[in-house]
Amino acid sequence: MKNFLFGKDIVSIDSLSKEHVELIFEKTREMAELVKKKDGDRRLEGKIITTAFFEPSTRTYSSFVAAAQRLGAGIIPLNGMTNTSVAKGESFEHTIKVLSRYSNCLVVRHPEPGKPAEAAGFVDIPVINAGDGINEHPTQGLFDTYTIRQYFGKIDGLTVVMVGDLKNGRTVHSLTKTLVKMGKLTLIYVAPGVLRMPNDVRNTVVEMGGRFDEVENLASVISLADVVYMTRVQKERFLDHTEYERLKDYYVLDKSLLHKVKKNALIMHPLPIAGEITSEVDSDSRAIYLTQELSNGLYLRMALLDLLLLQGRK
Ligand code: ASP
């Protein structure tokens, strides 16, 4: 397959075609094999990746660092900007331009929607969106879709139930967009009225020929799910703390609710969990948020670095 992702930015799922996603998935499989066989190789030797993270992160940050290192790249590891010139008042544009001079690829996380796309306009090296505020988290959406398809062998006909803060949770925006691009499925959005899935994402589902339902009661739909995708109420997006306190435990997946979930379903979560899944669920064989989801995140990020930075037929 031709590598039509060479030199490109990954700032939103919107800019990826189905063929792009297939290419990324094929490369992800190759990376999984590579890591299992020999931990990685040196194909990105001489390249430098910068993680420009303006917002906290554990998994996304460390998996990008691991992805770069497993392929032999160097890394400028910025996780938080308190020790950089941003703290002295440097503009976003200047920070991004400076970092681009030392690197072959920028991985940008920012609390404000649209910042990674803005960064891509300032520089001529590939920019990857590692989460922009309440907007998108494309790499998470990609590897979660990869994980679902790997397990079921298809997307068509599945029922995916997304639960929690669908308004502010960027992962469910990117996941929805990726899933409807890759197949015909049923989405069930479970959220309190004030945390509903945003209009633009719901419109995308309809435009792509998908279908969705919206309900408030998790217990009434959980037994329909092939995938239960739980999310955290996004505390950092709330101006009113009492409103957050009111909503934070709206849905809790515990042992009693787990009994209603299909035997061969998947229970997923982008992490961190802040009370919406009880720890007794962690060891259930259907729960993959501490296992496959994490490994696939690494493989997919390795795949993206390879595709964006190395030319040639893949
Ligand atoms: N880690 C995910 C994100 O960065 C999910 C979350 O924080 O709740 O969006």
Side-chain angles (χ1 to χ4, degrees), residues 59-60 109 137 140 170-171 232 234 236 270-272:
R59 271 146 301 274
T60 306
R109 167 169 289 199
H137 196 340
Q140 177 96 36
R170 55 196 174 200
T171 63
R232 169 181 75 93
Q234 306 279 299
E236 64 275 38
L271 304 183

Side-chain angles (χ1 to χ4, degrees), residues 13 24-25 28 59-60 63 137-150 175 178 229 268-270 292-301:
I13 296 296
I24 295 167
F25 284 3
T28 303
R59 271 146 301 274
T60 306
S63 65
H137 196 340
T139 59
Q140 177 96 36
L142 285 165
F143 74 72
D144 281 335
T145 302
Y146 175 85
T147 303
I148 293 169
R149 198 170 80 172
Q150 184 185 42
L175 178 59
T178 316
Y229 195 95
M268 301 175 73
H269 192 298
Q292 283 102 312
E293 240 182 307
L294 297 178
S295 307
N296 286 339
L298 170 70
Y299 306 146
L300 188 127
R301 287 167 178 144

Side-chain angles (χ1 to χ4, degrees), residues 10-273:
I10 308 285
V11 292
S12 165
I13 296 296
D14 296 334
S15 61
L16 296 175
S17 67
K18 192 170 175 176
E19 289 66 37
H20 287 136
V21 179
E22 289 294 357
L23 178 62
I24 295 167
F25 284 3
E26 194 183 310
K27 187 55 85 178
T28 303
R29 269 190 297 278
E30 185 190 316
M31 292 300 168
E33 286 309 306
L34 176 68
V35 173
K36 280 173 202 153
K37 269 199 206 115
K38 45 179 201 160
D39 288 331
D41 63 22
R42 311 292 304 164
R43 71 183 69 189
L44 291 184
E45 192 150 30
K47 308 283 187 196
I48 292 183
I49 319 291
T50 293
T51 56
F53 278 44
F54 293 75
E55 201 184 42
S57 172
T58 305
R59 271 146 301 274
T60 306
Y61 170 75
S62 45
S63 65
F64 266 112
V65 171
Q69 291 183 335
R70 286 199 183 277
L71 294 176
I75 179 126
I76 301 177
L78 299 179
N79 189 10
M81 291 293 164
T82 40
N83 290 326
T84 72
S85 286
V86 172
K88 300 181 192 166
E90 186 171 57
S91 70
F92 179 70
E93 177 173 355
H94 281 188
T95 304
I96 292 296
K97 283 183 171 166
V98 167
L99 294 172
S100 80
R101 281 277 144 188
Y102 309 137
S103 345
N104 301 93
C105 177
L106 292 180
V107 182
V108 179
R109 167 169 289 199
H110 202 284
E112 232 180 274
K115 283 295 193 187
E118 195 180 316
F122 296 143
V123 300
D124 52 14
I125 58 172
V127 172
I128 301 176
N129 178 358
D132 59 332
I134 63 169
N135 183 34
E136 275 213 46
H137 196 340
T139 59
Q140 177 96 36
L142 285 165
F143 74 72
D144 281 335
T145 302
Y146 175 85
T147 303
I148 293 169
R149 198 170 80 172
Q150 184 185 42
Y151 180 76
F152 291 102
K154 60 172 189 178
I155 298 296
D156 285 344
L158 295 180
T159 297
V160 175
V161 176
M162 300 187 190
V163 187
D165 188 350
L166 306 185
K167 175 180 176 225
N168 300 305
R170 55 196 174 200
T171 63
V172 283
H173 305 161
S174 293
L175 178 59
T176 291
K177 291 179 181 185
T178 316
L179 284 170
V180 295
K181 210 178 274 289
M182 302 310 286
K184 292 256 173 291
L185 76 163
T186 301
L187 294 164
I188 303 181
Y189 295 139
V190 183
V194 287
L195 300 179
R196 278 179 78 188
M197 186 60 93
N199 264 329
D200 63 313
V201 182
R202 283 184 284 140
N203 290 342
T204 307
V205 177
V206 177
E207 279 158 23
M208 301 290 290
R211 40 168 282 140
F212 70 88
D213 284 322
E214 290 185 291
V215 298
E216 258 204 69
N217 185 337
L218 177 58
S220 69
V221 294
I222 201 163
S223 61
L224 303 173
D226 296 302
V227 177
V228 181
Y229 195 95
M230 296 296 295
T231 67
R232 169 181 75 93
V233 176
Q234 306 279 299
K235 183 178 185 182
E236 64 275 38
R237 312 293 175 212
F238 282 75
L239 297 174
D240 178 354
H241 187 68
T242 52
E243 180 71 344
Y244 168 72
E245 287 295 324
R246 181 177 79 81
L247 294 164
K248 76 177 184 3
D249 298 322
Y250 214 84
Y251 303 109
V252 177
L253 180 59
D254 58 11
K255 258 233 147 95
S256 65
L257 209 46
L258 194 62
H259 285 308
K260 293 177 184 264
V261 177
K262 283 184 194 171
K263 287 280 163 282
N264 70 335
L266 289 180
I267 297 166
M268 301 175 73
H269 192 298
L271 304 183
I273 291 168

